[in-house]
Amino acid sequence: MNGNHSIDGDSDDLPTLPPLQLSFTLPSSPDIKVHLQLTNMSKTLLLYISTSTVGAPSAGASLGNLVYALPNMSSSGSNETLGTALYQKTGSIDFVTRLAKVLARRLRKPVYVGGEVRFWAVEDEGHALRGIVQIVVDKIGQEANTATI
């Protein structure tokens, strides 16, 4: 058996492009930077997120949380997205779970979201969620458009 097939004979979930690393600052708190590492694979999406404060000493990124979310693909018409924590370490599990569910619903594919984030205000969390979702959806859309050319 070569490295391109899983045990059941299906192709592995291989990345469609190399991982993409991005960062952006929050409009409500310009000293907070959100970092993303996005890997779009043929069947799933892997996103790692972290935050840093501009001017603060770098402490390295912790594994943080890991959440798996699965969109509802049934014909029942329900938009309920399932999500579960695979690894829970920090208090940011609610944010990571919400982000994973939103991305799974928007992209219509299973999503893994990992990382640890810290925000100082509620509006920072809202800005980060909207910013991450917009960036990921835009990048996946650009990749799909490039693949069809």
Side-chain angles (χ1 to χ4, degrees), residues 5 11 19-20 24 31 33 39 43 51 63 68 70 83 86-88 102 104 110 114 122-123 128 131 142 145 147:
H5 295 285
S11 296
L20 180 63
F24 65 95
D31 57 329
K33 201 168 214 180
T39 305
K43 297 177 186 174
T51 54
L63 173 62
Y68 177 70
L70 184 66
L86 301 175
Y87 182 77
Q88 184 175 345
V102 169
V122 174
E123 60 266 10
Q142 288 173 2
N145 290 338

Side-chain angles (χ1 to χ4, degrees), residues 94-110:
D94 292 336
F95 178 83
V96 174
T97 301
R98 190 167 11 141
L99 176 60
K101 286 181 169 185
V102 169
L103 289 172
R105 186 171 38 253
R106 294 278 303 269
L107 298 172
R108 307 285 300 153
K109 70 192 288 185

Side-chain angles (χ1 to χ4, degrees), residues 51-120:
T51 54
S52 65
T53 304
V54 176
S58 176
S62 133
L63 173 62
N65 303 292
L66 180 61
V67 173
Y68 177 70
L70 184 66
N72 185 350
M73 303 297 262
S74 72
S75 59
S76 67
S78 171
N79 276 339
E80 185 176 345
T81 303
L82 304 174
T84 188
L86 301 175
Y87 182 77
Q88 184 175 345
K89 184 176 180 183
T90 66
S92 62
I93 188 68
D94 292 336
F95 178 83
V96 174
T97 301
R98 190 167 11 141
L99 176 60
K101 286 181 169 185
V102 169
L103 289 172
R105 186 171 38 253
R106 294 278 303 269
L107 298 172
R108 307 285 300 153
K109 70 192 288 185
V111 173
Y112 293 92
V113 177
E116 181 175 0
V117 292
R118 290 194 175 99
F119 302 109
W120 304 116

Side-chain angles (χ1 to χ4, degrees), residues 13-24 34-50 99-100 102-104 107 109-115 131-144:
D13 192 15
L14 300 172
T16 56
L17 290 175
L20 180 63
Q21 295 184 20
L22 308 158
S23 64
F24 65 95
V34 178
H35 306 273
L36 313 171
Q37 181 175 357
L38 173 66
T39 305
N40 189 27
M41 296 182 274
S42 56
K43 297 177 186 174
T44 59
L45 178 88
L46 174 62
L47 176 66
Y48 183 80
I49 58 173
S50 65
L99 176 60
V102 169
L103 289 172
L107 298 172
K109 70 192 288 185
V111 173
Y112 293 92
V113 177
I132 294 168
V133 169
Q134 180 180 354
I135 288 170
V136 170
V137 169
D138 288 350
K139 293 297 178 186
I140 300 302
Q142 288 173 2
E143 184 179 315

